[in-house]
Amino acid sequence: MININDAKFITSAAGIADSPEFAMSEVAFLGRSNVGKSSLINALTQRKGLAKSSSTPGKTQLVNYFEVKFGQKFSENEKFDEALANLGENFSLMFVDLPGFGYAKVSKKMHYIWQKNLDEFIKNRPNIKLFVHLIDSRQFDLDIDRNLREYVESFLRGDQQILRLYTKADKLNQAGRAKLLKSDPGALFVSTLKGSGVAKARELIIKRAFGL
Ligand code: GDP
């Protein structure tokens, strides 16, 4: 079982130029504004107010760094996971909360500056090992998400992976779920409202970030 020993805000940055280097792997969270990114980061780290909603009016769009310290103990009645066991009892990751895409309440000029900053950041940050792309499960085939996916795939390095997570699964009906699964058969659903899929997502994020 994986525990969160600590999760804390480290710093904010406007782009790559003022981002410190950390001696650990990074997991970058991407998604449209309002997709449920802050809620998921808070659920994954079990810290309620850690990440703040990107749709808060007037809030500056910054890259936020959260250091997450994990701990694990293996009990006898648990299925032994060799990949996770390799990580030892304690390990850390830096969660990188990137500004939500498609945020409407800013001027064109500001929007352009963010895009440029973000583009530079995403492509040039050596420690990013995993991009977690959050997609609203009720609107899974939007152009903005298709573009985001193609964009990340266009520069993905050999030591990097993408994990797609479909949010707000509690709002999805049977038909919607079936339609999504047809388009992405291995789709992973999360609901922070119900708490479903969060532990599974946490485990996958850890495994992929460490290349396991
Ligand atoms: P962000 O802008 O991507 O950081 O999104 P937030 O985490 O702030 O969430 C945006 C809105 O969606 C808020 O009103 C949340 O309460 C709601 N929300 C987030 N996750 C879920 C979920 O799993 N289920 C439901 N029903 N609503 C959610």
Side-chain angles (χ1 to χ4, degrees):
M1 159 127 157
I2 298 166
N3 299 307
I4 316 297
N5 289 343
D6 194 23
K8 59 174 186 268
F9 170 75
I10 301 293
T11 190
S12 292
I16 196 152
D18 62 343
S19 283
E21 278 178 35
F22 303 105
M24 68 187 90
S25 295
E26 296 175 350
V27 177
F29 290 83
L30 287 162
R32 259 182 338 124
S33 292
N34 216 38
V35 72
K37 185 157 55 67
S38 326
S39 306
L40 185 67
I41 290 174
N42 293 339
L44 290 168
T45 57
Q46 295 171 347
R47 300 290 186 279
K48 275 209 170 83
L50 192 64
K52 309 274 188 314
S53 179
S54 55
S55 52
T56 308
K59 192 176 161 284
T60 326
Q61 298 276 288
L62 293 167
V63 176
N64 292 307
Y65 290 91
F66 303 105
E67 184 181 356
V68 192
K69 295 183 179 167
F70 299 95
Q72 61 176 346
K73 289 236 178 334
F74 294 92
S75 64
E76 295 211 349
N77 46 16
E78 204 180 332
K79 209 173 127 232
F80 186 72
D81 190 318
E82 205 171 332
L84 284 175
N86 281 333
L87 293 175
E89 280 189 12
N90 297 291
F91 48 92
S92 299
L93 284 172
M94 191 65 77
F95 279 11
V96 185
D97 184 13
L98 295 172
F101 278 69
Y103 185 76
K105 293 182 195 115
V106 290
S107 70
K108 277 236 160 70
K109 182 156 179 253
M110 269 314 287
H111 192 75
Y112 175 75
I113 293 169
W114 285 349
Q115 294 283 75
K116 204 167 153 286
N117 264 351
L118 207 54
D119 180 65
E120 196 182 43
F121 181 92
I122 288 174
K123 291 179 178 166
N124 296 309
R125 188 87 186 153
N127 283 6
I128 298 180
K129 300 295 176 192
L130 179 67
F131 292 97
V132 179
H133 178 188
L134 305 181
I135 301 165
D136 191 320
S137 57
R138 294 161 305 167
Q139 301 169 285
F140 66 88
D141 55 1
L142 296 180
D143 280 345
I144 188 166
D145 283 313
R146 205 168 301 119
N147 293 342
L148 184 58
R149 177 178 174 173
E150 284 171 8
Y151 163 67
V152 176
E153 283 171 349
S154 75
F155 58 77
L156 203 69
R157 304 188 306 252
D159 66 332
Q160 292 179 318
Q161 298 190 50
I162 306 177
L163 177 66
R164 279 186 298 284
L165 295 177
Y166 294 92
T167 62
K168 308 189 188 182
D170 54 279
K171 288 195 175 178
L172 201 62
N173 60 24
Q174 281 293 339
R177 199 179 183 91
K179 207 167 144 209
L180 201 164
L181 281 168
K182 206 169 164 197
S183 133
D184 186 353
L188 292 161
F189 296 93
V190 288
S191 162
T192 54
L193 194 77
K194 294 265 156 76
S196 58
V198 175
K200 175 85 188 157
R202 188 185 296 122
E203 190 182 310
L204 274 172
I205 287 169
I206 291 167
K207 284 187 175 169
R208 303 236 176 135
F210 284 104
L212 299 171

